Amino acid sequence: MRNGDVSFWWNQIGLPQPRPALDGDLDVDVCIVGAGFTGLWTAYYLRQLDPSVRVALVEARFAGFGASGRNGGWLTNSVTGGRERYGRDGGIRQQAALNDAVDEVIRVADAAGIDADIAQGGELNVAYNDAQLARMRAFAAAEVEWPGADVVTLGPAETAARVGVASPRGSVWHPHCARVHPAKLVRGLAEAVERAGAVIYENTPALALSPGRVETTRGVVRADHVIRATEGFTANLRGEHRTWLPMNSSLIVTDPLPDAVWSVIGWEHADTLGDLAHVYTYAQRTADGRIAFGGRGIPYRYGSRVDTDGRTQDRTVAGLTRLLHTAFPAAADVPIAHAWSGVLGVPRDWAATVGYDRVTGLGWAGGYVGTGVTTTNLAGRTLADLVLGRDTDRVSLPWVGHRAHRWEPEPLRWLAVNAIYAAYGLADRQESRGGARTAAVARVADLISGH
């Protein structure tokens, strides 16, 4: 089993040839810090809307090194932090924008010739015990009240007919989700950005951002507009240590499953697969017949230290493997091929945000809490509109300009995050045994997290 090496996705297609680093000072119109999905989508739309704009991206490692090339490959419509926080009208608008973003990513990939194994099969979330089933029913009842949610409730037999998981109690499904190969998507998008005329400088870590200026290890970039698109790596920037918490998520992927195993599991519609646990899992059937299966490992490293090569702890690999085999007993004899981890950005209120200050020329987007494959596209289009002064519906969406409180200093930050996941883990274990005190334990975690 390989461990780390960035991710299975990059290992499968090969790491990209390094692009040149910044060689001294530079003057441009827009400097974007970070060449993941947020930065790349922003650059793409800026150049599409105004080909005269000089756009440079500075990236610490290579385009797609972070979460953009390591995630579970869910192109889904989730409103990070919940649409309810935006009120009735705002929530409806935010949901519609994210539904549209799913379609927009698929459209651009097709138009740009990016083969990213995209298959739109919807998102299926399964309940495995009584407590999860009760949460599922409450969730489904609430979703019916929201236009654009389009959630369908399925019984045990209907669930198993879509994906043959063991002993499902029921599930919810919606159509606004596609499976993707994230490294293929981010590699293709980076190439499309370069064809559009933006320049990506790799191996160029940014140290600090200020109005009109990005200080890097290889020179200073001066720009009228400076965009922070660093997501889980934001803590590495001077003065941003407590802005977003770098949360770790881990995945494993199997060898290709034999046809006989797939005949038992089914999974013919390319659904992405999740569950109703508090410490939830996420999975996809890959285009080459594997199961990629993810969840939380060690959620947070003291002092907001961020991952480098994606190496995953043995106990996390063992835990994810156990959950995979519980859901799919037929796959128990299929070896695990690769394990890896990555960091995602978590604001203190767990709500994604995008914004731009016309006075300072500073913009930002992130805090996706794991929903970034889709949300980054909406963020990139919104930032392009804001920078260019375009009066579109996107610039008045309720997440625009939102700012969360900063995270607590250490050791409170470390204690809070570990307490949250210890409580959620205990709640899940109680639920699996039919425990009656689950709700109280989970509520404690909700209070600590601010959900």
Side-chain angles (χ1 to χ4, degrees):
M1 184 194 76
R2 297 181 72 99
N3 195 332
D5 296 335
V6 186
S7 73
F8 163 78
W9 309 117
W10 277 117
N11 182 256
Q12 187 176 48
I13 66 174
L15 294 179
Q17 289 297 313
R19 295 174 171 88
L22 183 66
D23 184 19
D25 295 352
L26 178 70
D27 290 279
V28 292
D29 298 313
V30 182
C31 181
I32 300 169
V33 181
F37 280 137
T38 299
L40 292 170
W41 282 122
T42 304
Y44 178 84
Y45 289 109
L46 280 169
R47 292 290 300 180
Q48 293 295 314
L49 292 168
D50 187 350
S52 70
V53 175
R54 298 172 299 160
V55 179
L57 299 94
V58 294
E59 164 60 42
R61 294 291 293 273
F62 61 81
F65 170 79
S68 299
R70 307 191 197 193
N71 61 79
W74 284 37
L75 178 66
T76 194
N77 70 342
S78 299
V79 179
T80 310
R83 64 178 85 82
E84 296 81 3
R85 69 173 58 243
Y86 301 127
R88 180 69 179 173
D89 292 342
I92 290 172
R93 292 182 64 216
Q94 193 75 19
Q95 185 65 78
L98 284 159
N99 288 2
D100 175 70
V102 173
D103 297 335
E104 173 70 359
V105 172
I106 296 171
R107 183 195 70 78
V108 173
D110 181 65
I114 302 171
D115 181 3
D117 299 339
I118 298 175
Q120 189 164 4
E123 177 183 333
L124 183 73
N125 286 287
V126 180
Y128 292 101
N129 55 50
D130 289 343
Q132 290 185 18
L133 184 63
R135 273 199 303 280
M136 184 203 84
R137 288 171 172 164
F139 170 78
E143 290 294 278
V144 169
E145 303 299 319
W146 289 94
D150 302 324
V151 164
V152 177
T153 302
L154 304 178
E158 296 170 299
T159 301
R162 290 198 72 87
V163 182
V165 295
S167 305
R169 300 296 306 279
S171 64
V172 286
W173 178 89
H174 73 80
H176 305 289
C177 185
R179 174 208 73 198
V180 304
H181 187 299
K184 289 182 179 180
L185 180 58
V186 75
R187 178 185 64 181
L189 181 57
E191 293 168 352
V193 164
E194 290 178 312
R195 289 196 300 271
V199 181
I200 303 171
Y201 297 98
E202 295 185 337
N203 293 305
T204 304
L207 302 174
L209 284 59
S210 57
R213 179 185 174 91
V214 175
E215 180 185 344
T216 81
T217 59
R218 296 181 177 271
V220 173
V221 182
R222 291 175 291 269
D224 295 331
H225 314 278
V226 173
I227 306 299
R228 191 187 76 223
T230 44
E231 182 56 354
F233 294 88
T234 299
N236 287 342
L237 295 170
R238 189 181 304 151
E240 303 290 349
H241 202 63
R242 291 165 51 201
T243 300
W244 291 332
L245 183 139
M247 183 79 73
N248 295 289
S249 196
S250 301
L251 287 101
I252 57 175
V253 67
T254 66
D255 281 347
L257 275 59
D259 290 343
V261 176
W262 280 124
S263 68
V264 174
I265 296 174
W267 207 344
E268 299 169 354
H269 307 291
D271 309 67
T272 59
L273 178 70
D275 61 28
L276 276 296
H278 297 288
V279 185
Y280 55 85
T281 60
Y282 51 95
Q284 65 153 279
R285 175 178 177 170
T286 68
D288 64 340
R290 306 167 187 263
I291 297 177
F293 192 93
R296 293 286 180 267
I298 295 176
Y300 173 70
R301 292 180 172 89
Y302 190 88
S304 291
R305 289 179 291 125
V306 297
D307 166 73
T308 52
D309 72 347
R311 186 165 181 82
T312 301
Q313 300 84 2
D314 289 344
R315 68 184 186 187
T316 298
V317 176
L320 289 175
T321 302
R322 183 170 59 253
L323 290 169
L324 168 65
H325 293 165
T326 299
F328 298 107
D333 293 330
V334 180
I336 303 300
H338 202 136
W340 71 99
S341 297
V343 296
L344 47 95
V346 181
R348 189 62 184 87
D349 63 356
W350 300 69
T353 178
V354 61
Y356 176 75
D357 186 330
R358 292 191 181 279
V359 175
T360 63
L362 295 173
W364 74 90
Y368 308 119
V369 199
T371 65
V373 180
T374 304
T375 314
T376 50
N377 175 270
L378 179 58
R381 282 189 285 166
T382 304
L383 282 168
D385 289 341
L386 290 167
V387 168
L388 297 176
R390 302 178 74 236
D391 185 18
T392 65
D393 288 341
R394 283 184 292 272
V395 303
S396 64
L397 286 170
W399 73 321
V400 176
H402 170 71
R403 291 181 183 268
H405 294 299
R406 291 164 65 83
W407 281 88
E408 293 81 0
E410 296 290 20
L412 296 178
R413 190 157 74 244
W414 185 88
L415 290 169
V417 176
N418 282 277
I420 290 167
Y421 279 94
Y424 282 145
L426 175 59
D428 285 334
R429 290 191 294 275
Q430 288 181 336
E431 290 181 358
S432 69
R433 297 191 296 266
R437 296 178 60 83
T438 298
V441 175
R443 279 200 299 272
V444 170
D446 289 340
L447 288 171
I448 297 171
S449 69
H451 273 69

